[in-house]
Amino acid sequence: MPTHADFTRAFRAGLFTGTLPPGTTAQAPDEATQRFAVYRNNVAHSLTRALARRFPVVERLVGVEFFTAMARLYIEAYPPASPRLFLWGEGFARFLQGFPPVRSLPYLPDVSRLEWQRGIAYHAADMPSVTPADLALAAADPARFKLVLHPSVGLIRSRHAVVTIWQANQPGAVQTGPLRADRAEDALILRDRADQVPVIALSPGEAGFQSALMRGETLLEAATRAEGADPARLLSLLMRAGAITGIAQQG
Amino acid sequence: MPLPNAPGLGFKPEHFAAIRDTRPQLGFFEVHAENYMGAGGPPHRQLTALRQDYGLSLHGVGLSIGGPDRPDAGHLARLRDLITRYQPASFSEHLAWSSHETDYLNDLLPLPYTAETLQLVCDHVDEVQATLGCRLLLENPSTYVLFAQSTLAETEFLAEIARRTGCGLLLDVNNVFVSCTNHRTDPQDWLAAFPLAAVGEVHLGGHATEALPSGPLLIDDHGSPVADPVWELYSRTIARAGALPTLIEWDNDVPEFSILLAEAARAAAILTQAEMRHAHAC
C-alpha cells in the first residue's frame, strides 16, 4: 500500500496530468475521473482568480480567455510557495517577458511590475511619517541629510506608457482616443494616508530624484539628478502622502 | 472567552463600511488567517476596528494538517502572532491538505481515512495546539471522491482525532450535505454517528449542483444562499445539540451585506427556538 507521502505526490501530479491518485473511486466507480476533475478545476480556477486579482490590468489587456489559458501555464510552472497568496506572482513579469504569445504587447511585463508593486504597497508595514518641521530642517542642510521612505514606496521606470495604460484600464475609465504605448513613463507607487494606492506619473527628472532618494543619496546629491525638475513638488507630494518616515544623517 | 451561541458572518473587506456605519447585532466575525499575514496596511486596520466591536473567529486554510509533512514552522509562528495580536475566541482549520512539499495548491484536498493518516493528523493537531497554546476546531470537509484504501468512516476518523488530541470539531453542515449527497449516503446517518458534544462552531454555506449519470454532484463553492435541505439539517442538529456559534460563509460572488444579514437572521431564529425549547424543558 502506498504511504500518505506517495499518495499526496500522486495526487499533486494528477492535478495537472489527470492521472487518478491510487485508490480513487466513487459509489459509481466509472465516475471517478469526472469527480477527480472537481479538484483539478478548483485548484486551477482558484489560483487563476488569485493571479487575476493581483494583475487585473494584465487580464484586461489580454482578455479573460487568454489570461486563463496563460495562467494555467504559469500555475503549473510557478505555483505559489506559501498560503500567503499576496506573495505570489513576483516572477510573473519575467514569465511574460519570455512568453512568445504576448511578444506583440511589449509593455505587458512593465504593467505587471506596476501591479505587483501596488500589491506590495497595500500590504507594506505601517510607519509614522515625519513632521513638516523635520523635513524643513533636513532641507535646510541638504548635504547632510537623506530621507527614509515608507516601505510602500516603489518606482517603476519604463520605456512604455505604463501610467497611461494603467489608468486607461481602470474600471470606469473613459477612453479619450488611441494612446501611444511606446512613450517612456515613470510611475511612483505608494500607500497614502487614506490607505489608497495611487499610481503617480513622474517627469524623468522627478523619477531621477526619486530613484536617488530610494538609493539613500543625500537630498543634495539627489537634487543633482533632477534634470531641471523641481524637487520641491515631489517632496511635498511625498510629505502629504505620509511617505517620508525618517530623516537620516549622511555617513 | 468562547464564541457566543449566536450567528456570525465571514468578513469581506467590501462590507467594511456597511459594518462600521450600521454596527449590526452579530455574535462574531470570522476571517481567513492567511489574509492577515501581511506586514500592515488596510487588512490589519480593518481587523483591529472590527475586533473592537465583535468577537473574532480565526479560520485557517493553509496549515495542511491532512498532509504527510509536519505543519510549516513559519506558518505556525505567523498564526501564533495573529492569535497574540487579535485574541480570537476560536481558531479552526480543516481536515484536508493544501500544500505539497514547497507548493501551495489553494484548495482543501482530501485524504484516505486509514490508521496511518489518523496518526499523522493527530500528530499534526497535537503540534498545532502545543505551538499555538489553544484548542483547535477541526472542520469536516466537502469531498467528491472516495478512496479504496480508507478503513475508517469520516465520522469515526474525526471522533478519534477529537478523542486522542482533545481538539474540538467544526461542523460544516453544508459539507455534510455535499459529501453525503455525492457519496449517495444519508446525511442524517452521518450526523447520528458524529460526536456533536465536541462541536465548537457550525458552518453554513451555499453549494453548486452539477449532474453525473448516477445523480447530482454537489460542489462546495460558498457562492450562493444556504440551500433549504441544509437549513433543515441544521435545524435538526441544533434541536439535538442546543444553540451553537453558527457562521454564514459566502466567499464567491459576494452579495450586498443585507443579504448576508438575512441569512444570519434565519440562523438566529433557529437558535432562538432551540434556546426557548431548552428553557422550557428545564
Side-chain angles (χ1 to χ4, degrees), chain B:
Chain B
M1 209 167 70
L3 291 173
N5 292 333
L9 290 176
F11 170 62
K12 297 288 140 194
E14 53 265 51
H15 295 149
F16 180 72
I19 296 163
R20 186 194 51 204
D21 297 345
T22 63
R23 299 250 217 125
Q25 206 192 338
L26 285 164
F28 62 99
F29 277 99
E30 185 161 294
V31 297
H32 286 179
E34 288 71 13
N35 293 340
Y36 298 87
M37 290 182 174
H44 286 289
R45 249 184 290 294
Q46 292 181 349
L47 192 53
T48 302
L50 212 59
R51 188 66 191 88
Q52 283 169 2
D53 295 334
Y54 295 97
L56 178 68
S57 166
L58 192 65
H59 190 51
V61 298
L63 256 183
S64 208
I65 283 177
D69 302 326
R70 287 174 57 187
D72 180 73
H75 197 72
L76 274 178
R78 284 183 283 276
L79 283 170
R80 201 182 43 214
D81 291 347
L82 277 177
I83 288 170
T84 305
R85 180 167 178 183
Y86 291 107
Q87 301 284 315
S90 169
F91 172 66
S92 49
E93 252 286 355
H94 299 83
L95 178 61
W97 57 286
S98 51
S99 293
H100 181 261
E101 291 170 0
T102 57
D103 303 336
Y104 176 68
L105 299 162
N106 201 33
D107 193 28
L108 299 166
L109 301 170
L111 55 150
Y113 300 138
T114 66
E116 182 206 6
T117 59
L118 179 62
Q119 188 61 51
L120 279 169
V121 172
C122 287
D123 290 348
H124 297 166
V125 170
D126 283 340
E127 182 169 354
V128 170
Q129 294 190 130
T131 310
L132 301 184
C134 67
R135 188 178 189 225
L136 164 79
L137 302 182
L138 193 66
E139 177 175 344
N140 61 294
S142 272
T143 60
Y144 310 104
V145 297
L146 299 170
F147 298 107
Q149 59 270 45
S150 289
T151 53
L152 294 160
E154 187 169 86
T155 45
E156 246 180 302
F157 196 83
L158 285 161
E160 192 58 19
I161 295 164
R163 194 186 66 77
R164 288 194 200 175
T165 67
C167 79
L169 298 173
L170 194 166
L171 171 62
D172 188 316
V173 179
N174 181 58
N175 288 353
V176 174
F177 184 73
V178 165
S179 295
C180 291
T181 304
N182 288 345
H183 305 313
R184 318 298 182 225
T185 57
D186 187 341
Q188 307 274 11
D189 294 344
W190 194 100
L191 284 164
F194 184 73
L196 276 185
V199 173
E201 184 187 347
V202 173
H203 274 185
L204 297 172
H207 59 254
T209 306
E210 292 183 8
L212 286 178
S214 70
L217 178 69
L218 306 188
I219 297 174
D220 176 42
D221 72 346
H222 298 178
S224 54
V226 178
D228 285 339
V230 174
W231 280 118
E232 177 59 32
L233 273 182
Y234 172 67
S235 280
R236 287 172 180 238
T237 305
I238 293 300
R240 254 179 72 206
L244 286 165
T246 301
L247 179 83
I248 306 292
E249 287 185 296
W250 200 322
D251 299 317
N252 296 300
D253 300 323
V254 176
E256 275 179 42
F257 190 61
S258 60
I259 309 260
L260 295 188
L261 280 179
E263 294 277 281
R266 196 166 167 183
I270 293 168
L271 292 170
T272 308
Q273 216 173 23
E275 273 177 343
M276 279 165 56
R277 214 173 13 237
H278 182 75
H280 191 69
C282 297

Side-chain angles (χ1 to χ4, degrees), chain A residues 20-125:
Chain A
L20 289 180
T24 305
T25 186
Q27 193 64 31
D30 57 339
E31 290 177 351
T33 299
Q34 275 169 286
R35 287 162 171 270
F36 181 63
V38 175
Y39 295 107
R40 302 183 65 197
N41 290 338
N42 282 352
V43 169
H45 180 75
S46 73
L47 288 176
T48 299
R49 292 328 301 157
L51 200 65
R53 274 195 300 277
R54 193 65 196 262
F55 300 101
V57 171
V58 172
E59 184 187 40
R60 209 180 127 108
L61 288 168
V62 301
V64 172
E65 206 175 320
F66 186 95
F67 187 89
T68 302
M70 181 167 73
R72 298 285 152 110
L73 298 176
Y74 184 72
I75 291 162
E76 194 166 349
Y78 309 102
S82 158
R84 291 175 292 166
L85 282 179
F86 53 85
L87 298 180
W88 181 51
E90 187 167 16
F92 195 48
R94 212 172 326 122
F95 170 83
L96 291 171
Q97 229 150 11
F99 190 55
V102 296
R103 205 171 284 152
S104 60
L105 308 175
Y107 46 83
L108 211 55
D110 281 353
V111 170
S112 78
R113 284 189 185 96
L114 186 156
E115 296 202 284
W116 173 258
Q117 186 57 44
R118 288 192 74 236
I120 295 293
Y122 185 81
H123 289 284

